[in-house]
């Protein structure tokens, strides 16, 4: 769809990262045939690099992105090697999407150190780029930072220049400091599903611009990927189920203190307090009632495929460079196809 002038952004799809990588690859082939521009794999039950390697063997056109791989569960050298190989295997179609995860997962699930995530991520990305540059030029590897030091690279271990060049690096960010980091060192920012058009315009984009300016870069050249909540249905019963599930997912995210700034921008701090208290009591089913129609409309595009497509265009055309659909309920293939067709303008 990137060749279609009526499409206001590239449209991506998430392969099911919870499935066997072989199943993921089958799904990727179907998504490419359906007309999506890109496919991303998250790090949940399976390694996203493995899933995307399998997908690269089954696709020819789509961009393949980790969305995201957990940076702090790894080190810059292992990430540089894996990303370089995926860029080769995919023929230059790979995008390295990185995220920090949260302290509990880094320390208790991955048994890795946690510290100053924004500053550490900036250094992590810089180290990866330094490794790629050493391979491309043959110059001595000499990266010295506070968290990472890479000073040994002999010809035996260097893969040499990648014929497709280094893959782009995008960073997941919600808070201003991590978004500034993306502006300073990354090629794009991966917004969280729990965001609104207003938050993107008033918080994300200014932070991205500040980060870019601090490094003498042009913020206009950086990408923004938005995974947008959609509650879509063709019958009232189908739409009602989609809305109920979407309210529940918004409530879940809204109960998390890390996402309070998004609600605070809209003046919904009291809603966060109710949701947080409900989560502490385990009242997950009841929490959706705290998400009123105004909040639902701010976070999600709601309606028929045509209505949802128009809402997404109105909100994100000229703002996002890549868009994907986020749904916490099963969407019929026919609905997904209709939504994609409405957004792309293809018949």
């Amino acid at each position: 769809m990137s060749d279609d002038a009526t499409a206001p952004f590239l449209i991506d799809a998430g392969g099911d990262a919870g499935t066997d990588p072989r199943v993921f690859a089958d799904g990727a082939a179907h998504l490419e045939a359906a007309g999506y521009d890109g496919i991303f794999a998250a790090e949940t039950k399976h390694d996203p690099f493995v899933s995307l390697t399998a997908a690269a063997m089954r696709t020819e056109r789509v961009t393949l992105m980790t969305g995201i791989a957990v940076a702090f569960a790894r080190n810059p050298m292992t990430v540089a090697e894996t990303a370089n190989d995926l860029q080769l295997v995919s023929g230059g179609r790979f995008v390295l999407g990185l995220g920090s995860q949260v302290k509990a997962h880094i320390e208790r699930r991955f048994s890795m150190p946690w510290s100053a995530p924004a500053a550490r991520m900036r250094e992590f990305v810089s180290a990866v780029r330094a490794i790629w540059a050493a391979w491309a030029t043959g110059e001595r590897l000499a990266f010295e930072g506070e968290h990472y030091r890479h000073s040994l690279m002999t010809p035996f271990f260097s893969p040499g220049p990648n014929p497709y060049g280094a893959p782009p690096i995008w960073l997941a960010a919600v808070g201003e400091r991590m978004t500034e980091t993306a502006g300073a060192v990354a090629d794009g920012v991966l917004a969280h599903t729990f965001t609104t058009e207003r938050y993107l315009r008033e918080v994300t984009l200014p932070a991205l611009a500040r980060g870019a300016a601090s490094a003498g870069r042009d913020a206009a050249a950086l990408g923004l990927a938005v995974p947008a909540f959609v509650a879509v249905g063709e019958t009232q019963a189908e739409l009602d189920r989609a809305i109920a599930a979407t309210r529940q997912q918004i409530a879940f995210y809204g109960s998390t203190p890390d996402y309070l700034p998004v609600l605070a921008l809209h003046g919904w701090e009291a809603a966060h307090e109710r949701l947080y208290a409900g989560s502490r009591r385990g009242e997950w089913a009841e929490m959706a009632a705290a998400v009123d129609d105004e909040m639902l409309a701010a976070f999600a595009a709601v309606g028929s495929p045509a209505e949802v497509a128009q809402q997404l265009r109105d909100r994100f055309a000229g703002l996002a460079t890549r868009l994907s659909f986020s749904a916490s309920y099963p969407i019929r293939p026919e609905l997904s196809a209709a939504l994609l067709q409405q957004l792309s303008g293809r018949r």
Side-chain angles (χ1 to χ4, degrees), residues 49-75:
F49 295 110
V50 174
S51 293
L52 290 179
T53 300
M57 305 294 189
R58 298 287 308 279
T59 58
E60 298 179 354
R61 174 187 57 80
V62 288
T63 296
L64 302 170
M65 176 186 289
T66 51
I68 52 87
V70 180
F72 300 157
R74 300 171 172 85
N75 64 64

Side-chain angles (χ1 to χ4, degrees), residues 133-153:
W135 293 343
T137 64
E139 295 180 0
R140 178 174 173 267
L141 177 60
F143 183 86
E144 292 289 333
E146 179 182 352
H147 306 283
Y148 304 103
R149 297 171 183 83
H150 298 277
S151 58
L152 177 62
M153 179 53 59

Side-chain angles (χ1 to χ4, degrees), residues 273-296:
E273 291 301 323
R274 292 196 301 274
L275 291 168
Y276 179 70
S279 70
R280 298 281 289 182
R281 294 191 296 267
E283 297 172 351
W284 301 106
E286 295 82 0
M287 286 161 51
V291 179
D292 60 20
D293 289 346
E294 181 185 9
M295 189 181 297
L296 175 69

Side-chain angles (χ1 to χ4, degrees), residues 220-236:
L222 305 180
L224 172 62
V226 177
F229 273 128
V230 295
V232 60
E234 290 183 321
T235 68
Q236 191 60 51

Side-chain angles (χ1 to χ4, degrees), residues 168-237:
I169 300 177
W170 289 46
L171 293 183
V174 176
E176 295 185 61
R177 293 189 64 186
M178 190 64 80
T179 306
E180 289 172 357
T181 297
V185 300
D187 299 295
V189 62
L190 302 167
H192 195 280
T193 307
F194 193 73
T195 194
T196 64
E197 178 191 2
R198 181 180 171 190
Y199 188 85
L200 291 172
R201 293 189 184 280
E202 297 184 20
V203 179
T204 299
L205 288 187
L208 195 66
R210 290 194 301 272
S214 73
R217 308 174 76 210
D218 180 10
L222 305 180
L224 172 62
V226 177
F229 273 128
V230 295
V232 60
E234 290 183 321
T235 68
Q236 191 60 51

